Amino acid sequence: MSDMKLTFKTPDEIVEFVNTVSRYDFDVDVKRGRIVVDAKSLLGIMHLGLNSTLELQVHSDNCEDLQTELAKYAA
């Protein structure tokens, strides 16, 4: 499992993020506080809000490609 801190500034960034994460077969969650949502859920991510520091949890050991693609959202 791998963790990464994220933040989104616009709704378009969230849409792009969900589209990117959806291309991968492994499970990915996003967490803010005690709230955990599936990273492939557009409404779930939007519920967490913009300009918040979120924690990405990738449930795979082979996720270097995904982390590289998501580096632009790093908090």
Side-chain angles (χ1 to χ4, degrees), residues 7-52:
T7 189
F8 301 108
K9 294 177 180 31
T10 67
D12 290 336
E13 285 185 350
I14 295 175
V15 172
E16 185 179 324
F17 168 82
V18 170
N19 288 336
T20 300
V21 171
S22 295
R23 293 193 320 254
Y24 291 87
D25 291 335
F26 43 79
D27 290 331
V28 183
D29 294 323
V30 176
K31 179 179 173 184
R32 187 183 83 196
R34 291 186 285 169
I35 302 170
V36 178
V37 298
D38 184 351
K40 298 176 184 179
S41 167
L42 181 60
L43 290 177
I45 302 295
M46 292 234 181
H47 173 73
L48 297 178
L50 297 172
N51 299 316
S52 299

Side-chain angles (χ1 to χ4, degrees), residues 58-73:
V58 181
H59 302 279
S60 173
D61 292 328
N62 301 321
C63 59
E64 293 82 21
D65 293 339
L66 177 61
Q67 288 179 326
T68 301
E69 286 190 67
L70 300 180
K72 59 186 165 189
Y73 307 116

